[in-house]
């Protein structure tokens, strides 16, 4: 099992996603002799998972059933253990596009955090690219190394435990892109410039506060970056559902019938009433926004090394 290479069957040691519904899923490490409890009953790894195909429908001990899905960066973002605040697919998608990443790209990242963006970056640059990710917190760095190894990604990523603002990324003049998600990104702009290739490399900084953005933009200008721009991505979800509305009575048909000597009291004319005058409802599909929506997450500031 690997997050960048699809496998047909579930194997001992794999990380799989147990899918109970769109709003209910969780990751599980498949191990021989282990069981997993769900609201539908027990899943026995040895008999219910190992050797089965990904996407299989598994019946639990209480008669309910779940689907077992192959892990992807998108599913991992929704289910990973939170060691820090994470980036979600809305921001991740624009980051990978605006940094112009592709298979073979070299990327530097700080900080690693819970690894949500890291998994997406690795999938994007695989199979010949590489991610150099720096994490200040030692325990989080060790946990990130462990997860990358379990997910079959260790050959595509190098995790370093150090302060990027003081010591940089540990590489020079090789990166196609740099991503910063740290409290004071302006202190790391010089190191980011050193890590980027000679010219044309892209940089992105994620900051929740506009004051951080202002200081970062000033630092980017000081170090000669160009094409500096800041984005804020807001996601508004619509539910498609069937709604019923009453057929309106616009009155036009009544006026036409009156001018033509139409006698609505005549029993022979009762069946000739316009559909616009009939009382009733009509059903149709409509897109309805959610009552609540995700608001501000952070500002994304992009620039190019001149």
């Amino acid at each position: 099992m690997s997050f960048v290479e699809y496998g047909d069957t579930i194997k001992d040691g794999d990380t799989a996603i147990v899918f109970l519904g769109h709003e209910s899923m969780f990751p599980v490490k498949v191990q021989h002799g282990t069981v997993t409890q769900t609201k539908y009953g027990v899943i026995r790894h040895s008999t219910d998972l190992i050797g089965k195909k990904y996407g299989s429908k598994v019946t639990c001990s209480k008669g309910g059933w779940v689907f077992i899905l192959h892990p992807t960066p998108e599913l991992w973002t929704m289910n990973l253990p939170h060691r820090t605040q994470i980036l979600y697919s809305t921001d991740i998608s624009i980051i990978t596009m605006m940094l112009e990443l592709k298979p073979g790209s070299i990327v530097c990242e700080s900080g690693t955090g819970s690894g949500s963006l890291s998994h997406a970056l690795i999938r994007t640059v695989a199979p010949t690219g590489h991610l150099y990710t720096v994490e200040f917190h030692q325990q989080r760095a060790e946990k990130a190394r462990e997860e990358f190894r379990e997910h079959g990604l260790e050959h595509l990523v190098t995790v370093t435990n150090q302060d990027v603002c003081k010591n940089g990324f540990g590489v020079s003049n090789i990166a196609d892109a740099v991503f910063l998600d740290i409290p004071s990104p302006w202190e790391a702009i010089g190191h980011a410039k050193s890590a980027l290739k000679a010219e044309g490399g892209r940089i992105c900084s994620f900051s929740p506060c506009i004051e951080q953005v202002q200081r970062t933009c000033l630092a980017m200008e000081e170090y000669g970056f160009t094409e500096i721009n800041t984005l804020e991505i807001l996601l508004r979800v619509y539910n498609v559902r069937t709604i019923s509305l009453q057929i309106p009575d616009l009155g036009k048909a009544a006026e036409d019938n009156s001018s033509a000597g139409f006698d609505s009291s005549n029993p022979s004319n009762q069946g000739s009433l316009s559909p616009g005058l009939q009382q009733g409802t009509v059903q149709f599909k409509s897109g309805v926004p959610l009552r609540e929506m995700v608001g501000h997450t952070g500002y994304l500031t992009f620039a190019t090394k001149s």
Side-chain angles (χ1 to χ4, degrees), residues 48-70:
D48 297 333
L49 299 183
I50 297 176
K52 299 291 182 63
K53 285 192 173 186
Y54 278 106
S56 297
K57 183 178 179 180
V58 174
T59 303
C60 304
S61 61
K62 293 182 180 179
W65 46 267
V66 298
F67 287 103
I68 308 299
L69 306 181
H70 192 283

Side-chain angles (χ1 to χ4, degrees), residues 186 207 209-218 230 299 301:
W186 55 90
S207 297
C209 300
I210 196 64
E211 292 82 5
Q212 293 170 305
V213 174
Q214 292 171 330
R215 296 188 64 176
T216 302
C217 289
L218 291 174
T230 299
Y299 300 102
T301 301

Side-chain angles (χ1 to χ4, degrees), residues 111-128:
T112 312
S114 301
S116 173
L117 176 65
S118 304
H119 282 76
L121 293 177
I122 293 171
R123 196 263 307 274
T124 303
V125 304
T128 55

Side-chain angles (χ1 to χ4, degrees), residues 32-300:
H32 185 78
T34 303
V35 298
T36 296
Q37 297 283 349
T38 74
K39 62 182 180 181
Y40 301 125
V42 173
I43 301 174
R44 295 174 175 82
H45 293 200
S46 300
T47 57
D48 297 333
L49 299 183
I50 297 176
K52 299 291 182 63
K53 285 192 173 186
Y54 278 106
S56 297
K57 183 178 179 180
V58 174
T59 303
C60 304
S61 61
K62 293 182 180 179
W65 46 267
V66 298
F67 287 103
I68 308 299
L69 306 181
H70 192 283
T72 65
E74 291 79 11
L75 289 174
W76 185 245
T77 291
M78 298 171 64
N79 296 280
L80 58 78
H82 286 232
R83 300 183 289 273
T84 60
Q85 291 291 332
I86 69 169
L87 291 177
Y88 290 92
S89 297
T90 306
D91 290 315
I92 291 173
S93 59
I94 198 71
I95 290 169
T96 55
M97 184 190 75
M98 294 293 288
L99 289 181
E100 301 174 1
L101 301 183
K102 59 185 182 299
S105 295
I106 306 297
V107 186
C108 292
E109 175 198 26
S110 181
T112 312
S114 301
S116 173
L117 176 65
S118 304
H119 282 76
L121 293 177
I122 293 171
R123 196 263 307 274
T124 303
V125 304
T128 55
H130 201 84
L131 172 66
Y132 295 89
T133 182
V134 177
E135 173 56 51
F136 175 79
H137 193 276
Q138 181 179 358
Q139 291 180 332
R140 288 202 293 263
E142 292 174 354
K143 185 61 178 178
R145 288 194 193 98
E146 179 184 342
E147 285 182 349
F148 292 141
R149 183 172 59 254
E150 291 179 351
H151 299 165
L153 306 174
E154 69 275 10
H155 63 293
L156 296 169
V157 59
T158 299
V159 182
T160 305
N161 173 220
Q162 64 187 29
D163 185 350
V164 70
C165 296
K166 295 180 179 180
N167 306 114
F169 293 94
V171 296
S172 299
N173 302 320
I174 65 170
D176 297 288
V178 169
F179 177 79
L180 298 174
D181 183 6
I182 54 178
S184 52
W186 55 90
E187 296 181 1
I189 298 299
H191 294 297
K193 183 177 181 180
S194 299
L196 287 168
K197 59 187 181 181
E199 59 179 346
R202 295 279 286 166
I203 183 174
C204 175
S205 173
F206 177 91
S207 297
C209 300
I210 196 64
E211 292 82 5
Q212 293 170 305
V213 174
Q214 292 171 330
R215 296 188 64 176
T216 302
C217 289
L218 291 174
M220 288 179 175
E221 287 184 340
E222 179 182 347
Y223 281 95
F225 283 89
T226 60
E227 299 178 339
I228 302 172
N229 63 88
T230 299
L231 308 176
E232 182 184 26
I233 312 301
L234 299 177
L235 176 66
R236 188 174 188 183
V237 179
Y238 281 75
N239 277 339
V240 178
R241 65 187 188 189
T242 301
I243 65 175
S244 298
L245 291 178
Q246 187 173 2
I247 298 174
D249 180 2
L250 303 179
K252 184 175 185 304
E255 295 176 1
D256 293 343
N257 291 335
S258 176
S259 62
F262 183 85
D263 183 6
S264 60
S265 62
N266 189 335
S268 63
N269 291 329
Q270 291 297 319
S272 302
L273 289 174
S274 168
L277 294 176
Q278 293 178 359
Q279 296 300 315
T281 59
V282 62
Q283 292 185 335
F284 61 93
K285 297 290 185 181
S286 175
V288 181
L290 301 180
R291 292 180 180 271
E292 298 179 354
M293 65 172 283
V294 176
H296 173 74
T297 56
Y299 300 102
L300 295 170

